[in-house]
Amino acid sequence: MNQQNSPDPRLDAFLVEHKLARSNETASWHALTGGVSSDIWRVDLPGRSLCVKRALSKLKVSADWQAPVSRNAYEWAWIQFAAQHCPDNIPHPLAHDPQLGVFAMSFLEPNQHPVWKQQLMAGHVEVGTAIALGHILGRLHAASAADSSELSKAFDTIENFRALRLEPYLIATSARHPDLASRLKQLAQRTADVRAALVHGDVSPKNILVGPKGPVLLDAECAWFGDPAFDLAFCLNHLLLKCLVHPEKRDALIACFKALTESYFDDADWEPRASLDARAAELLPALLLARVDGKSPVEYLSDERQRGVVRTVATTLLRRPAEYLSQVAAVWLEEIDRHCLPR
């Protein structure tokens, strides 16, 4: 196989071994940006392209953040599961090598699949995207809850989830806020103890493409059979934070927050809404705080006044937990109004 910019000869061999490329073809490798936990490439072959992903043991963030590379195999398994239930909303899985910690999937053209985060950061807010995403997430959670006996064994990955989510978000944040430490640690432990559905673990706008057939979910490295409230809260968190970047779009962003919540609960049928809503509402302020004071702060909140809004709302709700996600949104809007951020 002819190689152009190949990062590792073993990766070229992987393509040939799995019949994704022929030995006499030229493969051109192009690194893709945006992720911190894996190396990702677009591989151009004659007349076609595909995507190859390899997990890293040390994440590309300023803090010392180590994570097991075995998560690559669980992401591959999550993609296979999700493709059975929402094939239009998942990249097509092509091949996997567990020893190499690599898998290949279809490459989705950027001009037809813009990144949702880029749209939101540009002030382009469409409630239809939020509605569709809520249904996809709810359907995947519901399907996994119905198949809990098998999936709970296949995704018994709490140690991965601790390393990638609970420790860098909740536990690391507790060290910065001693007065809230017991509450944050309690939320981390409760989340770890729930085993109800297959959790994606990183439902963030940066990992969601807006395709012609609806949103496409990427990057399920944190996949774990656990508390689906985490996925819901994790995604809604980003819609709230974007209000600080585009305060003039906050009504549209809050409309997305509410629409995503309602469409999700249209499909979330494995437990009473009240219990799931309450867990997500209690997790959300902890995740808000984590995005300014945890190991992975969002890069776009550079103003101290913005971070102050996040800390005030998070502290208020961690001390007096909300029972419903709608209450979290209300407190958030009140604090933005108090700071006189423009509509």
Side-chain angles (χ1 to χ4, degrees):
M1 180 185 229
N2 297 319
Q3 306 167 6
Q4 292 184 6
N5 305 316
S6 174
D8 187 335
R10 294 176 299 173
L11 296 176
D12 297 283
F14 162 74
L15 296 183
V16 174
E17 180 183 350
H18 290 276
K19 297 181 172 53
L20 297 176
R22 291 184 288 274
S23 58
N24 61 347
E25 288 184 313
T26 297
S28 181
W29 294 74
H30 307 273
L32 301 178
T33 60
V36 301
S37 60
S38 294
D39 286 328
I40 310 173
W41 300 274
R42 184 188 83 233
V43 184
D44 294 330
L45 294 154
R48 64 199 188 279
S49 296
L50 52 84
C51 186
V52 173
K53 183 171 184 178
R54 179 170 63 182
L56 297 171
S57 59
K58 185 182 185 302
L59 277 61
K60 294 179 280 188
V61 294
S62 58
D64 183 15
W65 186 349
Q66 306 284 334
V69 295
S70 60
R71 65 189 187 275
N72 181 271
Y74 295 115
E75 180 176 12
W76 169 254
W78 184 91
I79 291 173
Q80 290 185 302
F81 164 82
Q84 294 176 15
H85 299 280
C86 297
D88 291 333
N89 310 110
I90 309 296
H92 181 64
L94 298 174
H96 176 232
D97 185 325
Q99 282 71 43
L100 200 55
V102 168
F103 66 78
M105 57 188 171
S106 58
F107 177 74
L108 302 176
E109 291 293 342
N111 60 346
Q112 297 180 17
H113 298 83
V115 179
W116 194 28
K117 177 181 178 180
Q118 293 177 358
Q119 289 188 338
L120 294 174
M121 293 297 288
H124 180 65
V125 183
E126 293 288 344
V127 72
T129 302
I131 292 171
L133 179 59
H135 282 304
I136 293 165
L137 198 57
R139 285 200 297 270
L140 290 175
H141 285 169
S144 66
D147 191 22
S148 60
S149 60
E150 291 300 318
L151 290 173
S152 62
K153 297 174 185 175
F155 290 90
D156 185 14
T157 55
I158 185 57
E159 294 311 313
N160 279 3
F161 197 79
R162 284 187 196 278
L164 288 163
R165 286 294 170 262
L166 299 181
E167 194 285 326
Y169 285 84
L170 303 186
I171 304 304
T173 304
S174 72
R176 296 279 302 273
H177 293 272
D179 56 327
L180 300 171
S182 62
R183 176 61 175 159
L184 290 166
K185 291 176 180 178
Q186 184 267 329
L187 286 170
Q189 188 58 53
R190 187 189 68 184
T191 301
D193 289 341
V194 175
R195 295 179 63 80
L198 181 54
V199 175
H200 176 285
D202 201 0
V203 186
S204 164
K206 71 178 176 61
N207 294 330
I208 297 166
L209 308 180
V210 183
K213 295 184 179 180
V216 177
L217 292 175
L218 308 175
D219 290 348
E221 293 186 0
C222 307
W224 161 65
F225 196 89
D227 190 355
F230 186 92
D231 275 347
L232 182 57
F234 198 87
C235 185
L236 293 175
N237 184 29
H238 287 275
L239 294 176
L240 295 184
L241 292 172
K242 300 299 185 294
C243 293
L244 297 175
V245 182
H246 285 290
E248 78 285 358
K249 294 288 185 178
R250 73 174 185 245
D251 289 343
L253 287 162
I254 294 301
C256 286
F257 180 105
K258 294 178 179 178
L260 193 157
T261 300
E262 292 307 313
S263 63
Y264 174 81
F265 280 112
D266 283 345
D267 295 282
D269 59 0
W270 60 89
E271 67 175 287
R273 171 169 178 164
S275 60
L276 183 54
D277 201 339
R279 293 203 309 278
E282 291 178 12
L283 266 175
L284 184 46
L287 294 173
L288 278 168
L289 192 59
R291 295 324 295 257
V292 295
D293 290 330
K295 282 191 175 182
S296 183
V298 291
E299 81 287 353
Y300 51 81
L301 295 186
S302 56
D303 184 88
E304 188 56 33
R305 185 170 64 152
Q306 294 174 328
R307 293 193 292 266
V309 170
V310 175
R311 292 184 182 113
T312 298
V313 171
T315 299
T316 298
L317 291 171
L318 285 167
R319 289 175 174 164
R320 295 192 297 276
E323 295 182 16
Y324 306 102
L325 287 162
S326 58
Q327 294 172 326
V328 177
V331 172
W332 180 256
L333 286 176
E334 288 173 7
E335 186 63 18
I336 290 178
D337 285 337
R338 195 173 73 81
H339 282 75
C340 301
L341 295 177
R343 283 186 180 272

